[in-house]
C-alpha cells in the first residue's frame, strides 16, 4: 500500500511542478516577474554608475552582493 502512496505522491509532485511551470510561462506574457524587474533596475543602476566619478560605494555594494550570494549558495549545499 505504501508503494502506491509513494507513486501517488511522486505523480502529484510532477503534476504540481508541471502545472506551475505552465502557469508561470502563461503569466509571464502579461505580467513582469521579479527577475525581469530586478534586471531593469540593475541596468539603470549601471548606467548611472558609469556617469559618476567616485565608484567606491558601488564597488562595496557589488562586493556585498557577491559575498551574500556565495554564503547563500554554500549554506544551501
Amino acid at each position: 500500500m505504501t508503494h502506491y502512496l509513494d507513486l501517488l505522491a511522486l505523480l502529484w509532485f510532477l503534476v504540481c511542478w508541471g502545472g506551475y511551470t505552465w502557469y508561470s510561462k502563461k503569466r509571464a506574457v502579461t505580467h513582469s516577474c521579479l527577475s525581469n524587474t530586478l534586471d531593469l533596475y540593475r541596468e539603470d543602476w549601471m548606467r548611472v554608475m558609469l556617469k559618476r566619478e567616485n565608484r567606491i560605494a558601488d564597488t562595496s555594494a557589488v562586493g556585498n552582493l557577491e559575498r551574500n550570494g556565495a554564503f547563500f549558495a554554500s549554506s544551501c549545499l
Side-chain angles (χ1 to χ4, degrees), residues 1-13:
M1 180 68 177
T2 59
H3 181 66
Y4 293 115
L5 289 177
D6 289 340
L7 288 175
L8 182 64
L10 176 64
L11 179 65
W12 178 247
F13 172 74

Side-chain angles (χ1 to χ4, degrees), residues 2-76:
T2 59
H3 181 66
Y4 293 115
L5 289 177
D6 289 340
L7 288 175
L8 182 64
L10 176 64
L11 179 65
W12 178 247
F13 172 74
L14 293 174
V15 166
C16 289
W17 187 9
Y20 181 74
T21 302
W22 174 81
Y23 169 76
S24 63
K25 284 183 181 180
K26 287 286 198 183
R27 184 151 171 102
V29 173
T30 58
H31 295 82
S32 63
C33 66
L34 180 62
S35 178
N36 292 343
T37 304
L38 287 176
D39 190 41
L40 292 174
Y41 279 121
R42 272 189 227 110
E43 190 175 326
D44 289 341
W45 170 62
M46 285 185 255
R47 285 191 180 135
V48 170
M49 181 185 70
L50 289 173
K51 294 177 185 176
R52 289 191 304 232
E53 199 57 38
N54 190 357
R55 298 186 184 107
I56 294 172
D58 296 319
T59 305
S60 176
V62 170
N64 285 333
L65 289 173
E66 288 175 355
R67 279 190 295 279
N68 288 339
F71 173 75
F72 180 70
S74 66
S75 64
C76 287

